[in-house]
Amino acid sequence: MKDISELRSRINEINEQILDLFLERMGLAEEVAAYKKANNKPILDPAREREILAWAEKHSGELGVYSYSLFATLMELSRARQGELLSGGTAIRERIEKALAAGGEVFPRTGTVACQGVEGANSQAACDKLLPRGEIVYVKTFEAVFDAVESGLCKFGVLPLENSTAGSVRSVYQLLKKKQFSIVRGTQLCIRHELLVKPGIKLSEVKEIYSHEQAIAQCGRFLTSLGNTVKIIPCSNTAAAARMVAESDRRDCAAISSPQCASLYGLEVLGEDIQDNANNYTRFICITKDPVIYEGADHISLMISCDNKPGALYSILSKLSVRGINMSKLESSPVEGRDFLFDFFVDLDASVKEPGVMAMLEDLDRSYEGVHFLGCYSMV
């Protein structure tokens, strides 16, 4: 058996050879990029890549899977470099450049803002944090928030995007995609849920509980403990549920709502912190009709539509990995009405101004049926 130092010395020699060949290969890739640009050809050549990958796997014996991965990464790096050289002309670049031009140095602290719910809603608390001197306009649905901004009634809209227990609010993602609105700011709130009733009511008297479906999902264990005698009824908003109980003539109904709604609507707390997870957080976003990127934006949100086929997710991840971009969220959702097509909700810890990020986004835009740039923004 050879000594470890001897083996490592030989590995170092091979590493030098590999590096020289890699640099030579990348130089050739740059020449290929120039040819593609001159002849108006796309960066991706699927047939050529399949041929190389099949060759590498076939001639590697039991190490075929490793050779496949190596050459897949090499070609991803080549495409990334070609993308940097051929950048420009994509819809996503145009949208981002427009957003950068529209942005200011400081995110405003005032303005009219649409908020789903009523006074005391968690969305109202998010509005107060995002726009401390904003004028809140309450509406009934998430779509109405978009409508209020689209019509010009409000400059901003605030919406929940995801919860640490119940996951993403997919209806909001779909509205962002449909309306092509832009996320310009985000914040995270610790959400506490309490069971609220009229003064003097006992738990044994409660027959119906009202709340928003997200809050219901976040309090699953508590609700299960009540058995089958209590009916759980979804409604538009947790604060609206509290107000409905307060205004009702009935004494057998309760609401899952926030602590502040108890004092706001004259209700009594029958159960404190009934959420499943003590670390129950909801991320809220502030949206605008037109794309805007403010100074300090270091968080990117995307939706990527791609076919449900082997390698589809790996291709997305490899484009991030070769550029050293960290992904803080990845969640998939089937596209309604489309068989075998999925939307991926992706969050990146990056700014569009960082080297390589714009080229990566353009690479994604060229590679997939639908890439929706939702915004580059900061969290407060």
Side-chain angles (χ1 to χ4, degrees):
M1 179 181 294
K2 294 181 180 179
D3 183 74
I4 186 67
S5 60
E6 183 181 352
L7 293 171
R8 285 175 174 169
S9 177
R10 180 59 182 144
I11 287 174
N12 289 340
E13 293 174 6
I14 294 173
N15 284 343
E16 291 179 5
Q17 297 171 31
I18 290 173
L19 180 58
D20 288 340
L21 290 171
F22 171 73
L23 294 175
E24 183 179 354
R25 191 186 194 283
M26 291 297 282
L28 290 169
E30 292 178 358
E31 293 185 37
V32 169
Y35 175 86
K36 289 177 177 178
K37 183 176 182 179
N39 291 274
N40 197 28
K41 290 184 174 293
I43 292 176
L44 177 63
D45 185 344
R48 166 72 172 160
E49 294 199 0
R50 283 196 298 269
E51 179 185 342
I52 293 173
L53 292 172
W55 166 82
E57 189 165 19
K58 180 180 178 181
H59 291 85
S60 301
E62 63 180 14
L63 296 178
V65 65
Y66 299 101
S67 297
Y68 185 100
S69 179
L70 169 64
F71 278 86
T73 301
L74 280 173
M75 288 186 289
E76 184 63 55
L77 290 167
S78 294
R79 274 187 271 112
R81 179 57 178 153
Q82 290 180 32
E84 291 174 357
L85 296 172
L86 302 179
S87 62
T90 61
I92 201 165
R93 174 179 280 271
E94 182 181 346
R95 180 176 177 85
I96 290 170
E97 288 179 345
K98 181 180 178 182
L100 287 169
E105 292 187 3
V106 179
F107 184 80
R109 298 173 68 82
T110 62
T112 52
V113 54
C115 170
Q116 188 267 338
V118 297
E119 191 73 21
N122 290 311
S123 290
Q124 178 237 309
C127 285
D128 290 342
K129 187 175 179 182
L130 289 163
L131 290 149
R133 298 197 301 273
E135 179 186 349
I136 299 176
V137 176
Y138 292 106
V139 296
K140 291 184 177 181
T141 65
F142 292 153
E143 187 162 13
V145 172
F146 284 84
D147 291 342
V149 177
E150 190 169 35
S151 68
L153 176 65
C154 296
K155 182 177 180 181
F156 301 104
V158 168
L159 296 148
L161 190 65
E162 67 172 334
N163 176 263
S164 57
T165 300
S168 295
V169 186
R170 297 189 176 184
S171 59
V172 172
Y173 270 105
Q174 295 307 321
L175 285 165
L176 283 166
K177 177 181 176 180
K178 175 184 175 182
K179 299 283 190 178
Q180 292 290 295
F181 275 34
S182 183
I183 304 174
V184 294
R185 196 77 154 176
T187 193
Q188 186 170 272
L189 297 180
C190 182
I191 304 298
R192 292 176 55 203
H193 293 306
E194 299 188 339
L195 188 67
L196 306 183
V197 295
K198 289 186 174 182
I201 302 299
K202 298 179 181 178
L203 184 59
S204 58
E205 299 178 69
V206 175
K207 303 301 178 186
E208 292 183 356
I209 296 177
Y210 296 86
S211 196
H212 188 268
E213 58 185 10
Q214 281 275 323
I216 292 170
Q218 294 162 29
C219 301
R221 284 200 295 269
F222 172 79
L223 295 175
T224 299
S225 72
L226 300 179
N228 299 324
T229 59
V230 179
K231 187 176 181 180
I232 312 302
I233 304 174
C235 66
S236 62
N237 186 268
T238 56
R243 188 173 70 177
M244 182 167 51
V245 169
E247 294 176 352
S248 173
D249 293 332
R250 297 173 52 185
R251 294 178 56 81
D252 61 350
C253 57
I256 295 175
S257 193
S258 62
Q260 56 265 34
C261 281
S263 57
L264 186 62
Y265 294 111
L267 297 174
E268 191 172 276
V269 177
L270 199 57
E272 294 183 342
D273 292 330
I274 61 172
Q275 65 274 1
D276 293 346
N277 189 346
N279 293 316
N280 185 38
Y281 288 88
T282 294
R283 178 155 66 104
F284 291 85
I285 55 171
C286 181
I287 61 168
T288 58
K289 180 180 179 181
D290 298 316
V292 183
I293 297 174
Y294 293 93
E295 282 297 324
D298 57 1
H299 194 89
I300 295 172
S301 290
L302 306 167
M303 282 183 69
I304 304 172
S305 299
C306 65
D307 294 329
N308 182 21
K309 62 182 181 181
L313 179 57
Y314 172 81
S315 179
I316 295 173
L317 298 179
S318 64
K319 295 179 191 304
L320 306 178
S321 178
V322 298
R323 296 174 175 90
I325 299 172
N326 183 57
M327 180 174 60
S328 55
K329 174 180 178 175
L330 174 65
E331 185 176 336
S332 65
S333 174
V335 177
E336 187 175 349
R338 297 286 301 276
D339 292 336
F340 310 112
L341 187 68
F342 281 76
D343 279 334
F344 286 99
F345 308 147
V346 179
D347 284 351
L348 308 175
D349 293 330
S351 167
V352 293
K353 294 183 178 181
E354 293 176 20
V357 172
M358 183 75 82
M360 179 274 298
L361 293 171
E362 288 190 293
D363 191 4
L364 287 171
D365 201 25
R366 295 187 190 100
S367 302
Y368 298 100
E369 177 182 334
V371 175
H372 302 276
F373 177 79
L374 303 181
C376 180
Y377 54 97
S378 61
M379 296 287 294
V380 295

